[in-house]
Amino acid sequence: MAINIEFSDRLKELPTYLFVEIDKAKREAMAQGRDIINLGIGDPDLPTHKHIVDSLCDAAKDPSNHHYAFDAGLPKLRAEIAVWFNKRFQVNLDTDTEIYPLIGSKEGIAHFPLGVINPKDKVLLTDPAYPAYRPTIQFAGGKVISVPMKAGNDWIPDLKKIEAYKDIKMMVINYPNNPTAAVATKEFYQGLVNLAREKGFIILSDMAYSEVYFEGKKPLSILEIEGAKDVAIEFHSFSKTYYMTGWRLGWACGNKKLIAALAKVKTNCDSGIFQAIQTAGITALKTSDDVIDEMRQTFQDRRDYLINGLRSLGWKIEPPMASFYVFAKIPKGFNNSMETAKAFLDKADIVITPGVGFGENGEGYVRMALTVSRERINEAVERIRKIL
Ligand SMILES: *Cc1c(COP(=O)(O)O)cnc(C)c1O
């Protein structure tokens, strides 16, 4: 006889997934064979570079890679991450204690709270935010407190508000930001690190878009800030930089004790990363700057096509300086972000993401991902022209 199976309270407490309706409409539209332009997904359309794929193929044929990997990752991978980090940010990381490879940065972000958050601990989370953070904090029993981000402050939270909160255990930040494409200032990072040290809270920094920046303006790592290693752990990813979203490879770095907490959780959950993928990761980190510049140029060109196209329709939009998202105020004539996204899908066969899905402060905005070709962006602009 079938038993009565119920989801755990933990799962039942998760917030309702706001993209459900739009996802369903998108699947229906695709099933009907409509020519959908998908500006909804944060996954580059371009394939992983050949030298990285070749490196995986070679390593996959080596039987010494066919076993459980070291939990802490190949020493050579950690060493290469340290070299890369020093070159990019001029920050020295200890390869044994300050770097930990991950099965994608999302995996590490999901597991980290289990190592540092106790039930009822207060965690500050920006609103809007990438939706993956909240559930992981809730799984650990943490209490999420929303810190508003506003366009008027360039989507950077007000340090005075943060200072006013009591007994904070952790704050989660993400720059370059998904969905707003904002980049953190040095002043914000320094102020936040100072507050964290003074008040004793942890900073979780998600830097998945560190290399997707435009016009030569390199975003800072929070670890470049004096004192940051006392309080911060930063998550990095191969996914966006090297077009490797499907490979699942990233790393955490920063404060030793925080890395040790994450390591202890992970040792009890997984058994390392397939070594052939780690080997390909070493190859990826050695990729020449030209190749990465080309990635930036690709997204910058697309950004300019989309922004110029939409501006020619009278839509006021500022070009993002990093990430591959355009976070735009909804056009005149629409009441909210969900209505805008539905209209774009129903009338123009274009998928965009309603800002409200990222938090209530995302309302009034829509996110468009630059993950389709220039030709498709032009086609999208023409279709939008017809419905505005
Ligand atoms: C894409 C993305 C990630 C996920 O990166 P993985 O390394 O592929 O898990 C993390 N954070 C943000 C904000 C992202 O947009």
Side-chain angles (χ1 to χ4, degrees), residues 42-69:
D43 186 349
D45 52 314
L46 296 153
T48 308
H49 304 290
K50 184 173 180 299
H51 66 285
I52 302 171
V53 177
D54 288 346
S55 172
L56 169 76
C57 292
D58 291 345
K61 287 175 192 152
D62 178 351
S64 73
N65 286 330
H66 295 172
H67 302 280
Y68 287 123

Side-chain angles (χ1 to χ4, degrees), residues 42 103-107 109 130 133 174 176-178 206 208-209 236-240 244-245 248-250 325 367:
I103 311 169
S105 63
K106 188 176 176 183
E107 176 266 311
I109 291 166
Y130 176 56
Y133 308 129
N174 160 227
N177 185 257
N178 175 9
D206 175 1
Y209 296 92
H236 287 262
S237 175
F238 288 73
S239 293
K240 318 287 162 62
M244 288 173 71
T245 49
R248 313 315 305 131
L249 191 62
Y325 303 108
R367 192 192 73 175

